[in-house]
Amino acid sequence: MKLTGTTRRELAEAVKTACPAARKLFLDLGGCRIRVDSSSDELNDALAAYFKEFVTESGDSDIVVSTHETPAPESDLDFNVKQPDPGKTKIKEEWIDLPDGRVVRKRLTGMHFIFGDGENVAVGPCLKNSNQVINFINNRFIECKLNRGGFLGHAAGVRSGERGISLAGFSGAGKSTLALHLMSKGTTFVSNDRVMVEENGGGLFMYGVAKQPRINPGTALNNPDLCRIVEPDLRERFLSLPQDELWQLEHKYDALIDECYGPGKFELRCPMNGLVILNWKREDLPMRADFVDPRERKDLLPAFMKPTGLFYLPDDPARREDPDEDAYADILAKADLIEISGGIDFDRASEVCLHYMKTGLLPAD
């Protein structure tokens, strides 16, 4: 298939004409209703299985996404190359801005994503690359929340009772691992890696992303609710590795929340009473937790701040630039900011987080 046209409208129309998407899936993501149209039963069923906790009845939709199963399309578009993130070398994405939207091409898979002015089209080998389609659907939700004034955070999130916290940390700090430790102690999952934060009266609300956690063997083997997802023939080999090597393995597992923790344990919207930033190290030091002021500790904020990236097209030109540290400090001042420092201790950190969600206080040493 060749993409023809010079505008988002022309490209999308050509795709929808050549490969109609008749199957419909309805999702409710934190109060945002999304309709996903698919060109194949297999693709529809795969997306329904992944989003099973958020499938809802038909009705009006805030967002429509169409997904079209084809070979990797060809086009004459003059794409720009997205340079790799710091520390990375592989070029993964190309993009072009059109008068009425944007096209992003995944270089390794050939997937094309066409979006703008409320139209959202995924075309290419979608079933083989369903993770990219899932990310595209979730990015439409993220865009919606950001266009309504939200801030994007690089964080996990959990809720206990009526109170919630987000969990951020510098690279490799273990925010997802801590979130899953808290799940084993009875919390409800909100998000694994992204939260959208918005003001709600005098406080904050956070919205999670419907993305199942992907964890490394170290996280799985150190949590009794997760260890069974590691294959028996690999368990002994992983356990024989030095701790540092085990935690750095790139081998990943999907930790499906409903299968690991039971149904009804994944929600996408709750108060954000606090933000916990993991600023600890793998050293033989006691762990400590302290309330800090985000306006005085801006050095911690990059652990939470997240660039919006290629899949965000703001509807307000004033939001083309991502918010700066001052803007993040101002909004985070409406919640508690907790720094966890010293040595890494997930059990103790879990106790701190649970006590805070129950009382609004940090436990006495």
Side-chain angles (χ1 to χ4, degrees):
M1 178 179 183
K2 184 168 183 177
L3 299 180
T4 57
T6 58
T7 66
R8 182 267 310 157
R9 183 185 297 275
E10 291 170 348
L11 292 168
E13 183 177 347
V15 171
K16 292 177 180 180
T17 300
C19 184
R23 289 294 306 272
K24 300 187 186 305
L25 176 68
F26 295 87
L27 307 175
D28 185 341
L29 303 186
C32 178
R33 297 178 66 89
I34 299 179
R35 193 186 86 209
V36 182
D37 300 340
S38 297
S39 66
S40 80
D41 291 344
E42 280 187 293
L43 180 56
N44 179 83
D45 292 345
L47 295 175
Y50 188 89
F51 288 109
K52 59 186 174 183
E53 293 170 284
F54 308 104
V55 174
T56 188
E57 299 297 325
S58 61
D60 294 336
S61 301
D62 302 302
I63 298 170
V64 177
V65 179
S66 65
T67 62
H68 306 264
E69 179 69 29
T70 72
E74 299 177 357
S75 80
D76 295 324
L77 297 171
D78 187 15
F79 285 104
N80 305 288
V81 172
K82 181 183 183 297
Q83 294 303 316
D85 293 333
K88 305 290 181 65
T89 59
K90 185 178 293 186
I91 295 173
K92 296 182 178 181
E93 296 173 326
E94 302 171 332
W95 58 278
I96 182 171
D97 277 340
L98 304 173
D100 56 351
R102 177 176 292 171
V103 182
V104 176
R105 175 182 179 270
K106 294 286 187 176
R107 179 176 281 195
L108 298 179
T109 66
M111 286 291 302
H112 286 62
F113 301 94
I114 305 164
F115 55 102
D117 287 341
E119 189 157 44
N120 306 285
V121 175
V123 57
C126 295
L127 193 58
K128 184 178 178 180
N129 301 286
S130 59
N131 62 314
Q132 294 183 354
V133 178
I134 289 163
N135 289 341
F136 184 58
I137 294 168
N138 280 325
N139 273 310
R140 301 305 90 215
F141 173 50
I142 291 173
E143 181 180 89
C144 176
K145 299 309 297 183
L146 297 185
N147 278 339
R148 295 179 183 179
F151 282 62
L152 183 61
H154 188 192
V158 296
R159 176 181 64 78
S160 180
E162 298 303 315
R163 293 172 60 83
I165 57 171
S166 57
L167 306 162
F170 294 98
S171 179
K175 64 182 184 301
S176 297
T177 301
L178 179 55
L180 295 173
H181 270 260
L182 289 164
M183 288 294 295
S184 295
K185 297 180 183 296
T187 63
T188 296
F189 198 73
V190 177
S191 196
N192 179 60
D193 195 52
R194 302 282 190 278
V195 295
M196 289 76 72
V197 180
E198 64 182 28
E199 295 186 44
N200 181 60
L204 300 178
F205 254 80
M206 63 177 170
Y207 292 82
V209 175
K211 182 78 173 173
Q212 301 286 348
R214 285 184 60 78
I215 61 175
N216 63 25
T219 297
L221 292 172
N222 283 277
N223 187 319
D225 292 311
L226 304 174
C227 62
R228 64 181 180 274
I229 70 177
V230 179
E231 303 90 330
D233 58 324
L234 292 178
R235 185 175 295 125
E236 292 302 319
R237 181 167 72 84
F238 288 152
L239 288 172
S240 69
L241 296 173
Q243 279 292 311
D244 285 348
E245 188 175 342
L246 175 64
W247 285 101
Q248 295 302 319
L249 284 177
E250 287 299 317
H251 195 106
K252 296 290 186 181
Y253 293 94
D254 286 317
L256 303 181
I257 294 299
D258 68 319
E259 294 182 8
C260 294
Y261 298 100
K265 299 294 288 184
F266 196 168
E267 300 177 3
L268 296 179
R269 180 182 185 272
C270 79
M272 192 181 101
N273 302 93
L275 165 62
V276 175
I277 294 187
L278 302 177
N279 191 26
W280 53 12
K281 296 179 173 59
R282 293 192 181 279
E283 297 178 357
D284 187 18
L285 295 170
M287 193 215 84
R288 60 173 296 157
D290 300 282
F291 287 118
V292 296
D293 185 335
R295 295 188 177 101
E296 296 178 359
R297 292 298 307 278
K298 293 180 183 177
D299 59 301
L300 296 175
L301 301 187
F304 181 76
M305 298 168 62
K306 182 67 180 176
T308 49
L310 287 179
F311 285 95
Y312 175 50
L313 272 182
D315 57 10
D316 180 356
R319 292 185 66 88
R320 291 189 184 277
E321 298 295 328
D322 291 334
D324 59 15
E325 287 185 359
D326 289 338
Y328 271 91
D330 287 342
I331 192 168
L332 292 176
K334 300 180 184 299
D336 293 321
L337 180 60
I338 302 168
E339 179 188 18
I340 292 185
S341 58
I344 294 177
D345 187 338
F346 286 106
D347 289 333
R348 177 61 178 156
S350 297
E351 293 173 5
V352 168
C353 293
L354 290 170
H355 186 85
Y356 170 76
M357 282 188 284
K358 182 178 181 180
T359 68
L361 303 171
L362 297 179
D365 292 334

